[in-house]
């Protein structure tokens, strides 16, 4: 099957043609789709920031911004928690810095993963035994 170099060359050319056709047709659509998706993400992020500004006190907002610089995943977790609480009506007043610290501790407890390292020595190569 793979012994015929001429047949293999034809297969490779055909595969390249197929790939070029798929890339040429899909390239324009994906570029437009990517642009639309990027705009949607930007609008969603703007809505998210507006909601956070409404439910966070300035000091809490500043703390969350500083945390986002260092650990973006934890900041997103706290933001999600605050937004969920606001949507459920659990927030009677704006979130203070102290309450934000409590939420951060909750996120730390939820996301903390304990790492365990075990060292296994090879006894065959060890001269001490």
């Amino acid at each position: 099957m793979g012994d015929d170099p001429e047949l293999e060359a034809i297969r490779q050319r055909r595969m390249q043609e197929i790939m070029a056709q798929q890339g040429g047709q899909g390239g324009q659509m994906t570029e437009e789709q990517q642009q639309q998706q990027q705009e949607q993400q930007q609008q969603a992020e703007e809505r998210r920031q507006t909601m956070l500004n409404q439910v966070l006190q300035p000091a809490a907002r500043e703390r969350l911004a500083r945390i986002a610089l260092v650990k973006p995943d934890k900041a997103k977790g706290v933001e999600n928690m605050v937004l969920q609480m606001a949507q459920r009506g659990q927030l009677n007043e704006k979130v203070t810095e102290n309450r934000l610290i409590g939420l951060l501790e909750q996120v730390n407890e939820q996301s903390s993963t304990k790492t365990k390292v075990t060292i296994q020595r090879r006894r065959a190569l060890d001269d001490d035994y």
Side-chain angles (χ1 to χ4, degrees):
M1 245 195 254
D3 296 333
D4 190 6
E6 190 175 329
L7 182 61
E8 190 62 35
I10 292 171
R11 284 183 184 153
Q12 286 180 352
R13 271 188 269 136
R14 182 67 182 141
M15 282 297 285
Q16 289 175 354
E17 288 174 8
I18 292 172
M19 295 295 276
Q21 287 175 352
Q22 289 176 351
Q25 293 173 352
Q28 294 173 353
M29 290 177 52
T30 57
E31 186 175 318
E32 292 173 9
Q33 289 174 348
Q34 286 176 353
Q35 187 177 5
Q36 288 177 349
Q37 184 179 9
Q38 197 172 33
E39 289 174 7
Q40 289 174 352
Q41 287 176 349
Q42 189 176 9
Q43 290 172 356
E45 187 62 31
E46 288 174 6
R47 284 191 303 261
R48 182 181 176 93
Q49 290 302 321
T50 302
M51 289 178 65
L52 285 170
N53 288 340
Q54 291 174 355
V55 296
L56 292 174
Q57 286 185 347
R61 197 175 329 120
E62 288 176 17
R63 180 177 285 267
L64 193 56
R66 287 192 305 268
I67 292 167
L69 292 174
V70 180
K71 297 192 177 191
D73 56 333
K74 289 199 191 261
K76 282 285 187 191
V78 172
E79 287 175 0
N80 290 337
M81 191 179 290
V82 168
L83 291 173
Q84 286 176 357
M85 290 170 65
Q87 289 172 349
R88 293 181 187 153
Q90 295 175 344
L91 297 177
N92 298 334
E93 56 187 23
K94 286 190 170 191
V95 176
T96 63
E97 190 171 6
N98 289 334
R99 188 159 181 196
L100 183 71
I101 292 170
L103 294 173
L104 275 166
E105 290 172 354
Q106 286 180 0
V107 169
N108 280 338
E109 290 173 7
Q110 291 173 356
S111 65
S112 67
T113 56
K114 307 227 177 194
T115 307
K116 182 178 179 183
V117 177
T118 57
I119 299 173
Q120 296 178 347
R121 294 188 177 184
R122 296 183 183 182
R123 294 177 189 224
L125 300 176
D126 224 357
D127 292 338
D128 293 341
Y129 291 104

